[in-house]
Amino acid sequence: MTPKPPPITVEERRERIARAQRLMVEEGLDAILLPAGTSLRYFTGVRWGLSERLLAAVLPREGEPVYLAPAFEEPKLRGLLSIGDEVRLWQEDESAYTLAAGLLSEWNAARVGLDEATPYAFVCDLATAAPAIEWTDAAPVVSGCRQRKSPAEVALIRWAMELTLGVHRRVHATLSAGMTNTEIVQAIDRLHREGGADGGSTFAIVAFGDQTAYPHGPDGEQRLAEGETVLVDTGCTVEGYHSDLTRTYVYGKPTARQRELWEIEQAAQRAAFEAVRPGVACGAIDDAARAVLERHGLGPGYQTPGCPHRTGHGLGMDIHERPFLVRGNATPLGPGVVASLEPMIVAYGEMGIRLEDHFVVTEDGAQWLTEPSPSLDEPF
């Protein structure tokens, strides 16, 4: 591993806010509200988990963010602030939403965007406290910033991916008959922790045999046996940025059927990658992968045996974020977009084959952030 890249700087966060404010003008928004979660951290650096209590940054179209917080959280919050220093507080027997309405009234805000992760209960209470305001979706602003990654973001994601790929290699090298998927999940968590992730694994799916056909993993514990398909899908975070990689291989000697489906999956992933370039619609990437599957008699569409879900998803501070590489999505790819390619082949009762790697869109094409699996016999 190369040295871990530095965290995102305050200067870069200020650039993000400036871009968001330019987009707010274009979208006709007077302010956006960012509750606790990844968008709050993305713009302000404040790392805070979402709860039933409203803690948020309200960003006007001009000026610095103003924070809303429970009064008892003020000392902790102030210790985290690096952009803006105005904090408005509410007590437990007061309404946070009335406080937000008052702030927006001072700004004469008529149209306010809400981050798409805002809980419905928050939306209802804000609408009740400020019925004259038009509450709308802030996605054109928030995703307009977040979905195109800076070089610093790409460096963190790439490092996280390399860490997880190393964990995959270790798992593959230490498999033995009789091991349980639970044991492997625990080992993956430890390896991520030891490797320099923010914590352990953010998730780990380990499945054997016919259970590999379930995209999000088996129900219960399994023991590995000779000749079984093995699917491992896992990731971590580094400075808040995710990794997410899947490898599928066989413990022992592959059958002709295992080899056939694995090689079709590899070809579908490669075709999707070759279709990536700036300006291409997200849906066209899904089309490219699905065309390979259908030429080999899989599908059509979302039918199984075949690929029952989208080809890929954007990735950054959320493991699944915009843009989504799914049929019909006309959103064009642009430089800096990071997304997965994982056109999983599902054959219920037999096996599932998923190869998942991520790419970053360049000025004239794309780059892999990890080297795809070269072959079934030598998956690393």
Side-chain angles (χ1 to χ4, degrees):
M1 295 290 291
T2 59
K4 184 188 294 186
I8 302 300
T9 64
V10 173
E11 290 73 21
E12 180 163 329
R13 295 192 196 282
R14 287 192 178 278
E15 290 171 4
R16 295 170 178 179
I17 288 174
R19 174 169 170 74
Q21 289 173 324
R22 291 193 296 271
L23 290 172
M24 287 163 63
V25 172
E26 293 177 12
E27 296 293 326
L29 296 176
D30 298 306
I32 59 173
L33 187 142
L34 306 168
T38 54
S39 290
L40 177 67
R41 185 177 180 185
Y42 176 86
F43 287 107
T44 70
V46 173
R47 183 176 181 177
W48 204 283
L50 185 66
S51 77
E52 78 282 5
R53 293 183 176 91
L54 177 67
L55 185 144
V58 186
L59 179 64
R61 68 162 69 189
E62 293 182 1
E64 297 201 319
V66 175
Y67 300 88
L68 310 175
F72 67 87
E73 299 283 21
E74 182 183 11
K76 178 180 177 181
L77 176 61
R78 286 199 178 277
L80 299 174
L81 297 185
S82 59
I83 300 176
D85 59 6
E86 185 176 352
V87 180
R88 301 208 179 182
L89 304 170
W90 57 278
Q91 300 289 354
E92 288 282 74
D93 61 348
E94 297 175 332
S95 169
Y97 310 99
T98 300
L99 183 68
L103 172 65
L104 293 166
S105 177
E106 292 174 21
W107 293 344
N108 296 315
R111 192 163 186 264
V112 178
L114 296 172
D115 183 58
E116 61 185 331
T118 305
Y120 179 68
F122 288 10
V123 177
C124 291
D125 286 337
L126 286 165
T128 299
I133 288 177
E134 179 187 350
W135 299 96
T136 189
D137 187 4
V141 174
V142 175
S143 292
C145 294
R146 287 185 57 173
Q147 76 176 9
R148 294 196 180 190
K149 307 304 189 281
S150 70
E153 291 179 285
V154 172
L156 287 166
I157 296 170
R158 189 189 299 275
W159 199 89
M161 293 289 186
E162 290 290 353
L163 171 57
T164 295
L165 184 58
V167 170
H168 271 286
R169 289 192 185 100
R170 292 280 296 277
V171 168
H172 177 259
T174 56
L175 289 180
S176 62
M179 291 182 75
T180 68
N181 55 338
T182 304
E183 291 169 339
I184 296 171
V185 166
Q186 292 169 345
I188 289 170
D189 183 78
R190 185 186 72 252
L191 291 168
H192 272 134
R193 215 174 277 275
E194 293 172 353
D198 293 340
S201 307
T202 50
F203 74 101
I205 297 168
V206 179
F208 309 141
D210 61 358
Q211 299 291 294
T212 57
Y214 300 129
H216 290 142
D219 180 19
E221 191 167 78
Q222 296 180 273
R223 288 192 179 275
L224 180 60
E226 183 75 19
E228 285 191 313
T229 306
V230 178
L231 185 149
V232 180
D233 182 1
T234 187
C236 66
T237 59
V238 174
E239 297 294 340
Y241 286 86
H242 282 270
S243 65
D244 179 17
L245 288 169
T246 309
R247 292 290 180 263
T248 307
Y249 37 82
V250 176
Y251 179 68
K253 184 178 180 180
T255 65
R257 176 66 165 167
Q258 287 170 322
R259 187 176 300 281
E260 174 194 23
L261 292 185
W262 195 97
E263 290 177 354
I264 295 171
E265 169 74 0
Q266 183 189 45
Q269 188 194 45
R270 184 185 303 117
F273 179 76
E274 290 172 353
V276 175
R277 60 186 182 277
V280 171
C282 290
I285 311 306
D286 184 85
D287 294 340
R290 217 166 286 280
V292 172
L293 303 182
E294 292 180 6
R295 281 201 303 271
H296 288 85
L298 300 173
Y302 299 111
Q303 296 180 39
T304 60
C307 180
H309 62 63
R310 66 194 176 209
T311 289
H313 58 82
L315 175 139
M317 295 188 76
D318 288 312
I319 194 166
H320 292 168
E321 62 180 47
R322 297 170 189 263
F324 298 107
L325 309 185
V326 64
R327 184 170 62 187
N329 185 356
T331 302
L333 293 170
V337 168
V338 171
S340 71
L341 292 176
E342 47 178 319
M344 180 179 183
I345 296 174
V346 170
Y348 293 118
E350 290 186 84
M351 72 191 84
I353 308 291
R354 180 162 70 236
L355 300 175
E356 178 186 13
D357 294 275
H358 288 67
F359 65 88
V360 58
V361 182
T362 63
E363 293 295 334
D364 56 2
Q367 288 180 355
W368 286 115
L369 294 179
T370 47
E371 188 67 27
S373 192
S375 72
L376 178 57
D377 298 307
E378 295 184 9
F380 298 96

